[in-house]
Amino acid sequence: MAEIRETHGWKWLLCAPALTVLVMAASGPLLIVVIYSFLTPGNMGGVVWQFSLDGWFRVFFRRDIFEPDLVSLNDAHLAIFWRSIWLSFQTTLLCAVLGFPTAWFIATRPPASRTLWLFLITIPFWTNLLIRTFAIQELIRNNGTINSMLIWSGLIDQPIQMLYTDFAILLGMAYVFLPLMVLPLYAAMDKLDFRLVEAGYDLYASRLKVLWHVILPLVKPGFIAGSILVFIPAIGAYVTPRVLGGGRTMMLGNLIALQFGQGRNWPLGAALAMLLLVIVVAALVFYLRWANREEGRANV
Amino acid sequence: MLDRGAALRLTGQQEHNGNTGDGVSKQEAAEGVEIEIGGLSKIFGQGAAAFHALSDINLEIRTGEFFTLLGPSGCGKTTLLRVIAGFEQPSAGSLKINGKEVAGLGPNARPVNTVFQNYALFPHMTVAQNIGFGLKMLGRPRAEVEATTAEMLKLVKMEAMAGRKPSEISGGQQQRVALARALAPRPRVLLLDEPLSALDLKLRKEMQSELKRLQAETGITFIFVTHDQEEALTMSDRIAVMSAGRILQLGSPHEIYHAPSERFVADFIGDTNFMDLPVSAVEDGRARVTLPGGQEAEARLPEGMLPVLGETVTLVIRPEQARLVEPAGADLVAEVESAVFFGTDTHIHLRLHDGQGFVLRRQNTAETPDPAPGSVVGLQLSPGALRVLRS
């Protein structure tokens, strides 16, 4: 016993380097952001060390330029919050819808060729995100590949405006994050006992009913993991909305960058960053609660 | 083990419902062909890599019988079961269930349910939800699903476990739930794919009698797949012995054991001695053969077989069909090589005078000593012990 306790006594030291990096890199900057959000903006960016709630105030409200006492809701900000959440939700949903058949296809291949398919799924990761996003831009811009083809084939006369819309951002994010949904879904399907599918058919279920009553509940952990992996980076996305949404349709990430850059309002940027964190944590807690309640209901 | 009342109510309600024609009434059970298989083959792969899992199977399974497919692994018995269930489609031939051609139909369109080897219970559903699944998928009203589920839970004595998940009950209990789940939609035929192989010996014996009773009380045709010859002999009405995708012999357990049609069947079922002996006379469907010591003995001939006088034929004799006597005047004389004590009986390994080996199984009593190796003993054969194998 004593010996075991002794080994335990120093073994945690092995974690120390990793722990140090994690604590320094995660909580250090986070702490700085929290502090900055309560300070006064400096004239040329940066902060003045003077306590102020103005940063947090401006997250939600704005003052009239001529009458500083006239306060109204900052609907530009609220629209951006809403768009970020809504687009990330749509991205997650789209990735799930596209990812499920893909993962199913891979999971039902012979084991030897599965590795190859998984390998192919990761190909987009080989190229820089910015380059891939510009490639999408090239595809969907007004005189880009898709519009040129459509006009050439005579289906349309005028190019369809796809670039710099919410659709462009959705398309770009779904493309970027799809592998993050496919991989956990595949992992869940790989563990699926296909005899259960047979049992479902045997007990008079149609294909659709087997999918709904047997397969989907069993690969749910994959959906949960995939949704988290897609939603969190999506809501803070910067490059995709910047390149495909232009300046017109901003997301939270762009708004934060704007405040630290041209806006020269670091406390507001810091407060927005904290808000993003709060949204992510709230979404995560809500989602896991919901997923677990579903589980609980199935128990009854 | 079973609640007889519940089982009888089950049969009663079957006749009462009678709407889908899924249930089988007792009168029907006595006669009639449930499954008719004609010229059925199943080939996996193509060209040179083609594997004939089933070759020209012809089989009739009667309504209400306990039918067993017996054979070593890889003999095609599970493939045949999967073809009947609809998981595999036959490459050729016909398959009729209750007179209706079902080849080409999926498993959800056949009045057949399967008890899977590892039960395949849905892990995300409770015991009750598992049992009610089939009826729910058939679109039966909720009240009926619940009533039948309760009935089935009672039938397999699992009422107390209704709300548990499959992972929270033991292997034997999972087995019962799998049975209840497959019986709940009242199929015409229940397919059982080595359902007892994962259970320990004691539980297996218990489930054997429970299965037999369930079959008798529900009147449903059972098709049982096993590689365990003892299981097949104790439970079946009829057995089909399979090897390499063919049915070698079809008959009652008694026929299969005492009148094996070929060497493989004799060898696979029970322990067997083979002897090559010359024929000295043939009369009335029986042959006389000359035993190694010069004695003559009568041997049963397979139907239609007429050996030529003097021809050497292969005979089978079961190890318990001979007993030890004094060498003088015995049918056979042999030298004891070894004796292995099994408790209820002793297996005595003998060497006949012409060099052929012979294993004798002797029932033990407390006071009979095992014969010493090297001693010479006489053997007396039971009447009808010898049977000629078709060459």
Side-chain angles (χ1 to χ4, degrees):
Chain A
M1 275 309 271
E3 220 175 58
I4 292 166
R5 208 170 295 155
E6 221 169 65
T7 38
H8 265 293
W10 60 266
K11 261 187 182 167
W12 69 268
L13 276 174
L14 293 173
C15 305
L19 277 177
T20 314
V21 170
L22 280 174
V23 169
M24 301 283 278
S27 56
L30 195 65
L31 201 66
I32 293 172
V33 172
V34 172
I35 294 169
Y36 273 26
S37 72
F38 291 106
L39 296 177
T40 310
N43 282 336
M44 303 296 287
V47 286
V48 176
W49 283 83
Q50 190 183 351
F51 178 81
S52 162
L53 283 173
D54 199 50
W56 282 99
F57 180 80
R58 278 164 180 259
V59 168
F60 300 103
F61 306 102
R62 87 177 132 212
R63 290 179 203 280
D64 196 275
I65 301 174
F66 303 107
E67 290 178 57
D69 291 336
L70 199 63
V71 171
S72 60
L73 271 179
N74 192 337
D75 31 4
H77 281 186
L78 293 179
I80 291 174
F81 301 159
W82 172 245
R83 178 184 299 121
S84 299
I85 294 170
W86 179 235
L87 272 177
S88 306
F89 175 75
Q90 285 178 305
T91 303
T92 311
L93 211 64
L94 190 61
C95 282
V97 169
L98 297 176
F100 182 83
T102 315
W104 183 260
F105 173 82
I106 298 173
T108 49
R109 287 314 93 193
S113 59
R114 277 184 220 168
T115 324
L116 175 72
W117 285 107
L118 285 175
F119 178 71
L120 291 176
I121 285 288
T122 63
I123 282 185
F125 286 138
W126 300 1
T127 328
N128 182 281
L129 172 62
L130 199 57
I131 293 170
R132 282 185 287 152
T133 313
F134 275 114
I136 291 188
Q137 194 182 44
E138 172 59 31
L139 273 179
I140 62 174
R141 71 195 160 90
N142 281 5
N143 48 358
T145 316
I146 292 175
N147 273 319
S148 306
M149 297 259 285
L150 287 175
I151 289 172
W152 176 79
S153 68
L155 282 170
I156 51 169
D157 304 325
Q158 291 294 310
I160 302 168
Q161 177 68 43
M162 289 184 283
L163 194 60
Y164 307 137
T165 60
D166 283 2
F167 165 77
I169 301 178
L170 178 63
L171 181 75
M173 292 207 297
Y175 162 67
V176 169
F177 297 128
L178 188 58
L180 298 179
M181 179 66 85
V182 172
L183 294 177
L185 267 180
Y186 166 76
M189 286 173 191
D190 194 37
K191 282 186 285 180
L192 181 74
D193 184 351
F194 278 83
R195 281 171 309 186
L196 295 174
V197 176
E198 286 193 341
Y201 285 133
D202 187 57
L203 292 161
Y204 312 109
S206 60
R207 277 169 187 273
L208 213 61
K209 280 180 170 173
V210 167
L211 178 71
W212 184 252
H213 291 285
V214 180
I215 298 169
L216 286 182
L218 290 173
V219 300
K220 205 172 88 176
F223 272 117
I224 292 176
S227 304
I228 291 171
L229 285 179
V230 171
F231 184 83
I232 291 176
I235 199 164
Y238 173 73
V239 170
T240 312
R242 177 71 202 261
V243 175
L244 299 177
R248 278 200 277 178
T249 49
M250 252 194 247
M251 280 178 66
L252 252 170
N254 309 99
L255 183 61
I256 294 168
L258 185 70
Q259 295 310 327
F260 277 98
Q262 291 149 296
R264 287 182 195 164
N265 193 340
W266 287 23
L268 174 56
L272 285 167
M274 291 313 298
L275 181 77
L276 175 60
L277 185 76
V278 169
I279 291 177
V280 167
V281 171
L284 211 63
V285 168
F286 175 78
Y287 183 62
L288 288 177
R289 280 246 178 106
W290 171 79
N292 285 335
R293 200 190 53 197
E294 287 287 298
E295 193 92 353
R297 195 186 294 163
N299 267 326
V300 176
Chain B
M1 296 302 307
L2 275 170
D3 184 335
R4 230 163 210 289
L8 290 177
R9 271 199 299 284
L10 162 74
T11 345
Q13 197 174 341
Q14 262 172 28
E15 283 160 356
H16 203 69
N17 283 348
N19 47 2
T20 56
D22 285 354
V24 179
S25 71
K26 281 284 182 190
Q27 287 118 353
E28 226 181 311
E31 75 265 25
V33 176
E34 188 62 57
I35 292 186
E36 204 180 334
I37 296 169
L40 189 136
S41 316
K42 176 68 187 174
I43 302 164
F44 290 106
Q46 284 174 337
F51 171 67
H52 292 251
L54 295 171
S55 310
D56 194 29
I57 300 282
N58 292 289
L59 188 60
E60 279 189 357
I61 296 170
R62 297 168 195 150
T63 303
E65 80 175 326
F66 196 116
F67 190 89
T68 297
L69 296 168
L70 175 66
S73 54
C75 72
K77 57 190 194 297
T78 296
T79 305
L80 182 53
L81 198 78
R82 289 176 61 81
V83 168
I84 296 173
F87 299 130
E88 309 280 357
Q89 295 298 340
S91 306
S94 81
L95 168 63
K96 287 180 185 166
I97 299 176
N98 193 30
K100 185 178 159 239
E101 180 66 47
V102 295
L105 293 181
N108 50 4
R110 301 184 184 195
V112 167
N113 287 134
T114 306
V115 177
F116 293 85
Q117 187 167 10
N118 292 77
Y119 320 137
L121 295 175
F122 302 122
H124 57 294
M125 297 181 198
T126 62
V127 164
Q129 285 169 334
N130 263 285
I131 295 174
F133 187 83
L135 291 168
K136 195 173 144 191
M137 291 302 113
L138 282 170
R140 299 291 166 79
R142 203 187 159 121
E144 189 196 328
V145 175
E146 278 171 8
T148 310
T149 302
E151 223 171 87
M152 286 297 150
L153 280 167
K154 204 169 180 190
L155 187 68
V156 295
K157 296 218 144 192
M158 290 290 292
E159 300 106 308
M161 307 289 170
R164 299 242 191 131
K165 289 278 180 74
S167 57
E168 295 163 349
I169 58 179
S170 72
Q173 290 169 333
Q174 288 180 23
Q175 170 71 77
R176 287 154 190 268
V177 175
L179 260 171
R181 183 179 71 173
L183 284 171
R186 292 175 187 128
R188 292 197 64 90
V189 182
L190 188 74
L191 307 176
L192 302 108
D193 185 10
E194 308 216 19
L196 308 180
S197 60
L199 302 178
D200 61 50
L201 186 68
K202 190 167 173 287
L203 211 52
R204 188 156 60 208
K205 298 273 178 218
E206 212 175 287
M207 284 307 295
Q208 281 177 7
S209 53
E210 188 143 340
L211 270 181
K212 193 73 186 136
R213 191 151 30 198
L214 272 173
Q215 196 262 334
E217 290 180 4
T218 55
I220 291 173
T221 310
F222 276 36
I223 303 179
F224 187 82
V225 159
T226 185
H227 63 267
D228 183 330
Q229 40 105 1
E230 192 190 305
E231 210 164 81
L233 292 175
T234 52
M235 299 173 75
S236 319
D237 293 324
R238 284 197 306 157
I239 299 172
V241 183
M242 293 184 69
S243 173
R246 294 175 187 281
I247 292 176
L248 299 182
Q249 188 174 8
L250 178 67
S252 69
H254 193 274
E255 282 164 5
I256 299 275
Y257 186 78
H258 287 295
S261 63
E262 44 190 297
R263 194 181 179 104
F264 179 88
V265 177
D267 208 17
F268 189 72
I269 309 213
D271 299 321
T272 312
N273 294 298
F274 294 98
M275 291 201 284
D276 293 322
L277 300 173
V279 176
S280 60
V282 178
E283 63 208 22
D284 295 345
R286 297 208 160 216
R288 291 193 76 78
V289 290
T290 313
L291 295 171
Q295 297 272 25
E296 295 227 325
E298 206 176 54
R300 290 175 290 135
L301 276 175
E303 209 170 309
M305 182 179 172
L306 269 179
V308 183
L309 293 189
E311 180 188 351
T312 300
V313 292
T314 303
L315 295 107
V316 288
I317 173 167
R318 297 290 181 184
E320 71 281 0
Q321 304 273 338
R323 59 191 181 89
L324 288 182
V325 291
E326 287 301 312
D331 291 332
L332 288 163
V333 177
E335 189 180 327
V336 177
E337 289 198 322
S338 62
V340 185
F341 180 71
F342 276 85
T344 54
D345 46 28
T346 293
H347 294 190
I348 302 163
H349 294 257
L350 304 162
R351 183 69 52 194
L352 301 179
H353 276 173
D354 67 343
Q356 296 192 55
F358 192 99
V359 180
L360 179 103
R361 191 185 298 151
R362 192 198 59 189
Q363 194 83 45
N364 279 335
T365 62
E367 304 216 323
T368 39
D370 289 341
S375 60
V376 173
V377 294
L379 294 179
Q380 186 172 14
L381 306 181
S382 315
L386 288 169
R387 174 163 167 105
V388 179
L389 278 183
R390 217 180 278 277
S391 41

